[in-house]
Amino acid sequence: MIEKMNCFRVVEHFVSINGEGRRAGQLALFIRFAGCNLNCVYCDTKWANEEDVPYESYTSEQLYNLIKDSKVSNVTLTGGEPLLQKKILELLQLLRQDDTLRVEIETNGSVDVKPFMKDGENDNITFTLDYKTAVSGMEERMFLDNYVNLRKEDTVKFVVGSRHDIEKAGMIIDRYHLIKKGCGIYISPCFGMIEPREIVDYLVDHRWNDVNVQLQLHKFIWDPEQRGV
């Protein structure tokens, strides 16, 4: 019998639409792993980070079979923090062998993503990297070298709660030449803390090209507290 410590701790999996990012509005299979090394003020999945959260154990092969059985091409690995899973490299190696899949890893920006990236182009695994602005309470935990290593197929997401946060996003975008790299750049309002139009006004005032304002679709379609969507 495989020891649970050698398996993935999965707290939920479901098919829904992507609520944000480059494939917003498209179907995706979400696999949510237990555990996170951060504690963001606005986190809407704190329940998944509790030490005693119920979970199911999966091997890499079982997760791959789950993905294939779903008949959905977009796969989002999320959490928690998926890159903290002990066998994540093994899973990524398996998923890279199937070019019918488009895998997105949602990572919180505190973990070095370089060891998980494939050298060269045509990787079917991409990274959506958070930069935690001040509103999160976790900004000091950001691993800034990540923004040096990002590729054009990767995405950076800023959740902002104030004008100060928007300005900090601009500093990171400029400092690490994210627009020139061709990364996807998305700025989302912290739900209930800032009006989306404030972000739009800032983009207009600064003629901020190639930056996307994005709302979390799932929080408008369903109750913001609803799980499994």
Side-chain angles (χ1 to χ4, degrees):
M1 181 175 178
I2 298 175
E3 295 289 340
K4 284 190 175 183
M5 65 179 295
N6 292 326
C7 292
F8 294 94
R9 299 189 301 152
V10 177
V11 296
E12 66 174 352
H13 57 82
F14 56 91
V15 174
S16 185
I17 60 164
N18 267 309
E20 52 197 338
R22 296 194 187 201
R23 298 194 178 95
Q26 295 184 22
L27 277 184
L29 170 66
F30 291 83
I31 299 175
R32 187 179 307 282
F33 299 106
C36 190
N37 58 331
L38 300 185
N39 185 26
C40 296
V41 170
Y42 53 70
C43 180
D44 55 7
T45 54
K46 285 183 183 290
W47 60 271
N49 305 328
E50 300 293 336
E51 289 188 8
D52 60 350
V53 64
Y55 65 88
E56 293 182 282
S57 295
Y58 287 83
T59 64
S60 295
E61 290 77 14
Q62 288 171 331
L63 281 178
Y64 178 71
N65 290 334
L66 173 70
I67 291 168
K68 297 302 288 185
D69 288 345
S70 76
K71 303 187 186 307
V72 176
S73 298
N74 293 325
V75 180
T76 300
L77 306 181
T78 188
E81 173 49 61
L83 296 182
L84 295 179
Q85 296 290 311
K86 294 183 183 300
K87 291 282 188 175
I88 193 67
L89 269 175
E90 176 184 288
L91 176 62
L92 299 187
Q93 289 169 356
L94 181 59
L95 297 180
R96 281 190 167 107
Q97 295 174 26
D98 188 339
D99 61 8
T100 68
L101 300 176
R102 297 186 296 269
V103 182
E104 175 186 7
I105 300 176
E106 292 187 337
T107 180
N108 65 26
S110 70
V111 179
D112 183 1
V113 300
K114 184 64 174 176
F116 306 99
M117 287 181 166
K118 175 184 174 182
D119 292 333
E121 298 183 353
N122 301 319
D123 193 359
N124 69 329
I125 296 178
T126 61
F127 294 82
T128 294
L129 185 74
D130 271 10
Y131 181 88
K132 303 296 186 185
T133 61
V135 69
S136 71
M138 294 284 118
E139 188 173 10
E140 73 281 358
R141 300 285 298 276
M142 294 296 91
F143 187 80
L144 294 177
D145 282 355
N146 280 337
Y147 304 95
V148 176
N149 296 323
L150 286 177
R151 309 158 300 177
K152 65 181 180 180
E153 59 264 38
D154 297 318
T155 297
V156 183
K157 183 178 70 177
F158 301 89
V159 176
V160 299
S162 66
R163 184 181 178 91
H164 170 79
D165 289 345
I166 302 172
E167 291 171 346
K168 187 57 178 288
M171 290 174 58
I172 295 298
I173 291 167
D174 290 343
R175 181 182 302 164
Y176 295 99
H177 311 291
L178 299 183
I179 292 174
K180 185 177 180 180
K181 282 178 183 284
C183 298
I185 302 171
Y186 294 86
I187 300 184
S188 299
C190 186
F191 196 76
M193 293 189 66
I194 186 173
E195 291 296 326
R197 65 174 175 268
E198 294 182 51
I199 306 173
V200 176
D201 288 344
Y202 189 91
L203 265 65
V204 171
D205 291 344
H206 293 79
R207 294 298 191 263
W208 214 357
N209 296 302
D210 301 310
V211 174
N212 302 277
V213 177
Q214 190 164 68
L215 308 181
Q216 294 175 298
L217 290 177
H218 51 288
K219 290 187 177 180
F220 291 88
I221 299 173
W222 297 280
D223 186 294
E225 302 300 322
Q226 187 169 335
R227 299 182 188 179
V229 294

